[in-house]
Amino acid sequence: MIGRIALVASLVFAPSVLAPAGARAQDVPGIEICTVEKTMERRTSCLQSNVDFLQKTITKLSADHQQKLEAARAQIEGLKATVAGLQKTVDDLQAAQKKAAEDLKKKADAPPAKDGSPPVKDGGK
């Protein structure tokens, strides 16, 4: 039984082990070490590939950062509007509180109101 499992496993995995390494690898863009190239044409091509990769990376990062800055600016503007609205509310509440305090002071300073009944005299019997 173990022999059959080993045989099946070797048949399944053998093609991937026997395939040349170059056939499985993909050309992934990135920085390459160009000093290993022997001819000037290949070295120049390698360096140009590095330059192209770096330019694309810088362009992509610049666009990403610009998008983040624009989102932050929009958020800041929204927050400014919220703060302005809250400041107006606070100002309105303070004005109402001041008016209420002034009204209370006027009531306290005003002479007592006459209700139409005769005044009470002291010691008069």
Side-chain angles (χ1 to χ4, degrees):
M1 182 75 173
I2 294 178
R4 279 189 188 168
I5 294 173
L7 178 63
V8 171
S10 67
L11 291 175
V12 170
F13 295 115
S16 64
V17 172
L18 296 176
R24 287 184 291 167
Q26 294 180 352
D27 187 23
V28 179
I31 300 296
E32 300 176 25
I33 301 173
C34 300
T35 56
V36 297
E37 299 295 339
K38 302 293 182 211
T39 63
M40 281 304 270
E41 292 82 20
R42 289 185 58 105
R43 192 174 285 189
T44 303
S45 174
C46 178
L47 290 171
Q48 186 60 49
S49 174
N50 285 349
V51 169
D52 292 343
F53 172 76
L54 290 172
Q55 285 178 339
K56 287 178 185 176
T57 302
I58 290 170
T59 302
K60 181 181 178 290
L61 289 173
S62 177
D64 289 347
H65 286 101
Q66 187 63 35
Q67 187 177 21
K68 288 179 184 178
L69 283 172
E70 289 171 6
R73 282 188 191 111
Q75 186 177 17
I76 288 169
E77 291 303 317
L79 291 171
K80 282 181 180 179
T82 301
V83 167
L86 290 173
Q87 186 62 48
K88 183 182 180 328
T89 302
V90 167
D91 291 342
D92 292 345
L93 288 172
Q94 286 175 340
Q97 186 179 21
K98 185 177 179 183
K99 185 176 184 285
E102 288 174 359
D103 289 346
L104 283 175
K105 186 178 179 188
K106 284 180 183 177
K107 281 185 180 179
D109 290 346
K114 297 185 179 181
D115 58 359
S117 61
V120 177
K121 296 185 179 181
D122 291 337
K125 259 192 179 185

